[in-house]
Amino acid sequence: MAKTSSKYRHIGVKPVASALGAEILGVDLSRDLPDEVFGEIHAAHLEFGVIVCRGQELSPERQKILSARFGKLMSHAIARFRHPDHPEVMVMTNIKNGAVNVGASRAGFEWHSDQSYKPVPALGTLLYGIECPPEGANTEFASMYAAYDALPDARRKIVDQRSGVHDYTWAWQTFYKDRAPLTDLEKAALPPVCHRLARVHPETGRTALYVSEGMTRSIDGMAEETGRALVQELNDFATQPRFIYSHAWQPGDLVFWDNRCLLHRATPSDPQYRRVMQRTMIEDGFAAARLRDQLGVAAQ
Ligand code: OGA
Ligand code: MN
């Protein structure tokens, strides 16, 4: 791994795995960050893909302020998942309120990249641990740069030419059978979208694989089952242990990941332990600008 210490003068940066991930030391995210501190956090986010800041105190308001420094906040596509007072915040919890889950339960157990099912996906996600089980419920991250670099030539050729079909309705019907079905309106708002399997990161210039078992239904232009088998093969290749960082949560952890170059998934925990997580997402402004260019629409 490259030596990084000289680059960071205002924060501590401690890599946590060989493929991706770093802990950031010496920051208080509940305060307005000076530009030079913010700049280094941004640089570390680009360099390591996922950054971890422990011991933070973040109200929904403060998490929104922090997130907004990185780009435009993005509310979840499904209105029932939004925080009643803060639509850009989503609470994920296993707490049952009668028969109804308080936030979004059982979310993200399959590998995925947030909001990849939209034409403009999420650049990054900030997840904050409020209540965390003493064991289990890790979030795992897989470097899609490392996966792309390690692809065998024959596979890379296909990846460089093809696009994946990302389909939220399919994912809901396949993985979330326990949830109330999507309404016709919700389905209509989220038609399947295609994204290239090889994705050049707009800020680092590196190429990452962009495909996941959780959201990529199939491959554009391939027979459904052949495409789905390739999706699963690429997903499994990309999520080998050597490409992974597994985050064990403590209350007060803020984890900020880059959806443009990694996959992530939730892992199970004993339901006797409460888990409450507060989440915000940032829109991929680079993808939004590209889409506007393609459509010939003036920026607003
Ligand atoms: C998410 C997500 C995983 C987890 O917040 O987007 O996938 O462990 N979370 O809760
Ligand atoms: Mn997710």
Side-chain angles (χ1 to χ4, degrees):
M1 182 174 299
K3 247 187 127 202
T4 55
S5 52
S6 58
K7 224 163 85 183
Y8 301 104
R9 294 165 188 278
H10 300 91
I11 59 174
V13 176
K14 196 175 94 187
V16 290
S18 58
L20 77 172
E23 190 172 337
I24 305 299
L25 305 162
V27 292
D28 177 356
L29 300 176
S30 69
R31 293 164 168 256
D32 293 334
L33 300 171
D35 287 345
E36 54 280 14
V37 174
F38 169 77
E40 291 191 5
I41 292 176
H42 184 218
H45 186 249
L46 292 176
E47 181 172 359
F48 294 97
V50 42
I51 54 176
V52 175
C53 303
R54 299 213 186 247
Q56 303 297 319
E57 250 184 73
L58 288 174
S59 62
E61 288 85 357
R62 283 315 309 190
Q63 184 162 336
K64 282 200 295 191
I65 292 168
L66 169 69
S67 307
R69 288 216 51 185
F70 292 93
K72 191 173 154 200
L73 295 180
M74 191 179 194
S75 302
H76 197 282
I78 304 296
R80 62 178 112 152
F81 289 153
R82 298 176 192 158
H83 189 297
D85 305 325
H86 305 277
E88 309 91 343
V89 173
M90 175 172 163
V91 176
M92 300 169 72
T93 177
N94 62 358
I95 299 173
K96 305 253 181 188
N97 180 4
V100 183
N101 280 101
V102 178
S105 69
R106 222 222 132 262
F109 281 78
E110 292 73 32
W111 289 103
H112 64 283
S113 175
D114 289 330
Q115 311 274 300
S116 73
Y117 50 84
K118 293 177 99 176
V120 176
L123 174 157
T125 304
L126 295 94
L127 191 61
Y128 175 62
I130 297 172
E131 291 184 61
C132 307
E135 57 190 20
N138 280 23
T139 307
E140 297 182 331
F141 299 93
S143 169
M144 298 301 265
Y145 290 143
Y148 180 83
D149 290 346
L151 278 174
D153 283 347
R155 276 293 174 252
R156 184 172 310 132
K157 272 205 190 103
I158 297 175
V159 162
D160 285 343
Q161 287 164 7
R162 295 279 184 169
S163 296
V165 184
H166 298 245
D167 186 340
Y168 193 69
T169 299
W170 163 84
W172 190 286
Q173 287 166 352
T174 307
F175 301 118
Y176 297 114
K177 293 190 169 58
D178 56 323
R179 289 183 183 167
L182 289 173
T183 63
D184 287 344
L185 213 60
E186 285 171 335
K187 285 186 202 165
L190 294 168
V193 293
C194 291
H195 295 294
R196 310 288 307 228
L197 294 172
R199 177 172 191 184
V200 179
H201 192 294
E203 294 182 86
T204 67
R206 294 185 64 187
T207 304
L209 190 58
Y210 195 59
V211 63
S212 73
E213 63 180 7
M215 284 300 162
T216 318
R217 191 191 78 215
S218 189
I219 305 287
D220 193 30
M222 280 190 186
E224 194 69 17
E225 276 172 29
T226 318
R228 180 63 193 165
L230 179 57
V231 167
Q232 194 65 53
E233 181 200 308
L234 293 170
N235 180 95
D236 296 348
F237 178 82
T239 55
Q240 299 171 59
R242 65 184 164 132
F243 300 139
I244 286 181
Y245 165 61
S246 180
H247 183 71
W249 287 92
Q250 291 166 16
D253 289 354
L254 185 280
V255 177
F256 176 27
W257 64 83
D258 188 340
N259 287 301
R260 300 167 294 182
C261 60
L262 57 80
L263 294 184
H264 63 282
R265 70 169 175 185
T267 64
S269 63
D270 188 330
Q272 71 167 303
Y273 299 120
R274 289 162 60 102
R275 187 175 196 252
V276 182
M277 313 293 285
Q278 176 172 286
R279 178 173 97 142
T280 42
M281 290 185 297
I282 298 153
E283 182 182 280
D284 185 346
F286 299 91
R290 211 168 43 238
L291 202 64
R292 279 197 302 266
D293 279 356
Q294 281 165 8
L295 299 174
V297 183
Q300 301 186 351

